[in-house]
Amino acid sequence: MQDSISFFTGFGINDLLFLGEAALKTLWISALSIAIGTLLGTFFGWLLHEGKLVASFTIAPILDVFRSVPLIIQLVLFYNFAPIIGLNFDPFASGVVILTFYTAALVASVARGGIEAVPASMRRASRSLGISYWQDLFYVVLPIGGRAVFPAWIGVVLGVMKDSALVSVLGYVELLKASQVLITRTQEPLLILAIAGAFYFALSYPISRYANKFEQRWSK
């Protein structure tokens, strides 16, 4: 009984700060991967829409690999095989690379769906008014298609943020890895996992709430 009490009291303010720092690392690797992955995914989605025949034999199979193969396998394979081709990435860089392409693969489908959500008749009408192709994309497709797929994109964002926990298998000390370290030392898994879950909630909930408010304003 005394041993269990000593284990419990071993969790202190420094451990809480350690988890908080790890939560910031989770936010950083997620934000970086989502930002770059969204840009790449939007570009890939445009390619899939515009070059359907060519893209179906080039880009689409590669994106299917990133969507289909479990993320943890992608992380382990890349981290271990990258040095063979001269890419000596640390766990953070490896995690960013894989999470970025994983995000891009998911966003590509979302972006293509957004483009295809705009009626062809509306796009033809805009072009008949003298609007260029790129102006049509920016002023017609983006507002209408973006509004249609915004909830799906938010789902991708929240999913990637949770999936970033898998980077812990590479040794990157994000929130899940920090929790494992503290559980090993304190033997208080329920307490530490509850705190880690609270941190994940604190990271995800504001995004979800702001997205709902933004979507409501956008739909007006």
Side-chain angles (χ1 to χ4, degrees):
M1 182 67 178
Q2 293 298 324
D3 290 339
S4 62
I5 293 176
S6 65
F7 281 136
F8 178 78
T9 55
F11 184 85
I13 186 65
N14 289 333
D15 298 321
L16 185 61
L17 293 176
F18 178 59
L19 286 176
E21 182 181 354
L24 291 178
K25 290 183 178 180
T26 293
L27 181 61
W28 171 235
I29 195 172
S30 299
L32 191 60
S33 302
I34 290 168
I36 302 174
T38 296
L39 292 176
L40 282 177
T42 302
F43 176 67
F44 292 151
W46 172 76
L47 288 178
L48 290 173
H49 173 74
E50 294 296 334
K52 294 181 179 179
L53 182 59
V54 176
S56 63
F57 292 101
T58 55
I59 300 174
I62 298 175
L63 297 179
D64 286 338
V65 169
F66 281 99
R67 280 194 296 263
S68 304
V69 177
L71 183 58
I72 191 170
I73 295 178
Q74 298 180 40
L75 289 166
V76 173
L77 288 178
F78 179 80
Y79 184 66
N80 286 279
F81 283 98
I84 297 177
I85 59 175
L87 299 176
N88 296 314
F89 290 160
D90 60 15
F92 173 78
S94 297
V96 169
V97 170
I98 293 301
L99 282 175
T100 293
F101 281 98
Y102 176 70
T103 304
L106 298 176
V107 172
S109 297
V110 174
R112 181 176 61 178
I115 296 174
E116 294 176 352
V118 181
S121 58
M122 183 176 295
R123 299 193 64 181
R124 286 195 297 268
S126 65
R127 297 298 298 277
S128 67
L129 296 175
I131 294 177
S132 69
Y133 174 80
W134 298 109
Q135 288 176 324
D136 171 57
L137 282 180
F138 188 78
Y139 293 110
V140 178
V141 176
L142 180 60
I144 299 175
R147 185 184 306 166
V149 300
F150 182 71
W153 178 76
I154 290 297
V156 171
V157 169
L158 296 177
V160 171
M161 182 174 292
K162 289 183 290 185
D163 290 339
S164 67
L166 296 175
V167 183
S168 62
V169 301
L170 306 182
Y172 180 66
V173 186
E174 45 68 67
L175 190 52
L176 181 60
K177 184 66 175 180
S179 301
Q180 293 171 341
V181 171
L182 292 180
I183 288 172
T184 301
R185 183 173 65 79
T186 65
Q187 296 298 303
E188 286 291 341
L190 294 180
L191 173 63
I192 294 172
L193 289 177
I195 295 174
F199 273 117
Y200 276 116
F201 178 78
L203 294 175
S204 302
Y205 184 72
I207 297 175
S208 178
R209 290 296 300 171
Y210 178 77
N212 288 335
K213 292 182 180 180
F214 183 77
E215 185 180 1
Q216 290 174 0
R217 290 199 300 267
W218 200 358
S219 61
K220 292 181 179 179

